[in-house]
Amino acid sequence: MFLMSEMKRGLHPRPNSPQNDDDDLDEGQNEDGSMDSQENSGELPIELTSDGTRLSKRRRRRRLTLAVLPTLLTLGNGVCGLAAIAVAMSENLAWSNEKQLLVAGVLIFGGMLFDALDGSAARMTGQESRFGAELDSLCDAITFGTAPAVLVWRYNDIQALPLKLTWAIGVLFALCVLIRLARFNVETGDEDSHEGFEGLPSPAAAGTLAAFAIAMPELAGYAVPGNYPQQIQHIAEWTMTASHYVLPGLALILAYLMVSRFQYPHVFQQLLRGRRAPNQIGQALFVVIGALVLHWLALPIVFCYYAFGSPIRTILVRYRSRQTKPATPI
């Protein structure tokens, strides 16, 4: 039994702290490892209260302490994901399919906000724990894995593609999110700087799909006759029709990028720490101007830029290095 206990402690070490060190010594155990006589006899140590009554003193056990603020933020992420699934799949709401997907997409963005805040709150307050990391992954699997898969299924409500195909694409996307989260938990250590990711982060992949769901109602406004020139109406109508084919294909590409090894920056963490590269100023201006001109239509553009920018730059650098590499003589 003692050997098994040591193996478990080796597999699941706890952070070193004065409180933890005190908890490792059970009541009745001396600092040199010896046990008191009462403990050896199988009896719990006792003490007398003020009225002379004997009171059993229970052995202190290891208790799981929860960091209240980070835990609440993480659970808020899970609530947003469950609400997004419920809204997207509900048949009792007197809403159109586009409005249901819009609300579901907004809820996914709400989950992204909670996910960005919980890790930062845990690091700033010094309340990082393995429990918080595991809970965060479970909530991410709901909000950024299952909810976007439901969006893909519900977006094909007009059955532009075979239902079996869209079902398979949604399942593959959710499975790649699970693989991405599991790999991140295994490969990320406590000494990680949290300034970048290897592979597309699951919140960014889910946000890309949710951005299309949010932008579609505004795109439909461009297709209303009389509001805009006829050429813009035709472009809007063609884009709305093509989106039913593009979104499932986009989900497939995003699923691959999540399990890839392309490097992605941690934008929120860099902004929070005040670290900004020179080119980030131009990118921020591009986002602001695009939001002012295109409104919600800028969301899919921004997220697609983040999702595909790093892979495209990496491929171009590799291609240029091969072109400039001198040929070896025969």
Side-chain angles (χ1 to χ4, degrees):
M1 295 297 292
F2 178 79
L3 178 60
M4 292 299 295
S5 176
E6 288 300 317
M7 292 176 62
K8 291 180 179 179
R9 291 185 183 181
L11 291 175
H12 304 282
R14 295 187 302 162
N16 294 326
S17 65
Q19 182 179 358
N20 292 337
D21 294 338
D22 293 338
D23 291 343
D24 288 340
L25 293 177
D26 295 333
E27 289 295 329
Q29 182 178 357
N30 300 324
E31 294 183 358
D32 57 357
S34 61
M35 305 298 295
D36 292 340
S37 58
Q38 290 176 333
E39 184 67 24
N40 292 333
S41 60
E43 298 179 359
L44 292 174
I46 59 176
E47 64 180 0
L48 296 179
T49 59
S50 58
D51 57 355
T53 306
R54 292 197 309 175
L55 178 65
S56 297
K57 191 174 183 181
R58 295 184 177 180
R59 179 179 301 175
R60 285 186 294 179
R61 299 178 182 273
R62 295 180 181 177
R63 291 182 176 87
L64 179 64
T65 58
L66 299 181
V68 177
L69 179 59
T71 301
L72 290 178
L73 292 174
T74 303
L75 292 178
N77 175 19
V79 170
C80 288
L82 293 172
I85 296 172
V87 170
M89 296 298 296
S90 178
E91 297 180 356
N92 299 324
L93 296 175
W95 295 346
S96 63
N97 187 42
E98 289 76 13
K99 187 174 182 180
Q100 286 183 247
L101 294 180
L102 168 65
V103 175
V106 171
L107 288 170
I108 291 177
F109 270 88
M112 293 175 59
L113 179 61
F114 281 114
D115 182 66
L117 293 177
D118 63 356
S120 299
R123 286 188 289 271
M124 292 174 63
T125 58
Q127 295 177 323
E128 295 178 278
S129 64
R130 184 58 181 265
F131 172 83
E134 297 298 333
L135 181 63
D136 182 73
S137 295
L138 293 174
C139 292
D140 287 352
I142 297 173
T143 307
F144 309 133
T146 308
V150 172
L151 285 184
V152 174
W153 299 334
R154 291 290 293 162
Y155 201 77
N156 194 38
D157 190 57
I158 63 173
Q159 298 185 11
L161 295 174
L163 294 178
K164 292 182 179 180
L165 178 60
T166 55
W167 183 87
I169 292 174
V171 170
L172 179 62
F173 182 90
L175 292 179
C176 287
V177 170
L178 297 179
I179 295 173
R180 173 75 179 85
L181 293 173
R183 191 182 73 182
F184 178 80
N185 290 343
V186 171
E187 296 182 352
T188 303
D190 296 335
E191 68 281 357
D192 190 84
S193 61
H194 302 283
E195 294 186 357
F197 302 99
E198 193 173 56
L200 179 64
S202 56
T208 305
L209 298 179
F212 278 87
I214 294 175
M216 283 302 110
E218 184 166 351
L219 183 62
Y222 285 90
V224 176
N227 292 344
Y228 296 93
Q230 188 174 6
Q231 185 177 4
I232 295 180
Q233 295 177 18
H234 291 325
I235 294 175
E237 292 175 355
W238 179 85
T239 304
M240 292 180 62
T241 302
S243 64
H244 293 280
Y245 302 93
V246 172
L247 197 67
L250 180 63
L252 279 177
I253 300 175
L254 294 174
Y256 166 74
L257 292 177
M258 282 189 291
V259 297
S260 68
R261 294 291 182 177
F262 292 111
Q263 299 295 325
Y264 288 86
H266 195 317
V267 178
F268 183 82
Q269 190 68 20
Q270 291 180 1
L271 293 177
L272 188 64
R273 295 183 178 182
R275 299 180 181 179
R276 299 174 181 86
N279 61 338
Q280 288 182 338
I281 299 177
Q283 294 174 357
L285 292 175
F286 174 78
V287 171
V288 172
I289 295 174
L292 293 175
V293 175
L294 301 175
H295 302 288
W296 293 114
L297 294 178
L299 271 181
I301 299 175
V302 171
F303 274 86
C304 287
Y305 175 79
Y306 179 80
F308 299 109
S310 295
I312 292 175
R313 285 192 295 268
T314 302
I315 293 173
L316 289 178
V317 169
R318 292 176 181 175
Y319 176 77
R320 291 173 182 174
S321 62
R322 291 178 181 177
Q323 293 294 326
T324 57
K325 185 178 180 180
T328 56
I330 300 177

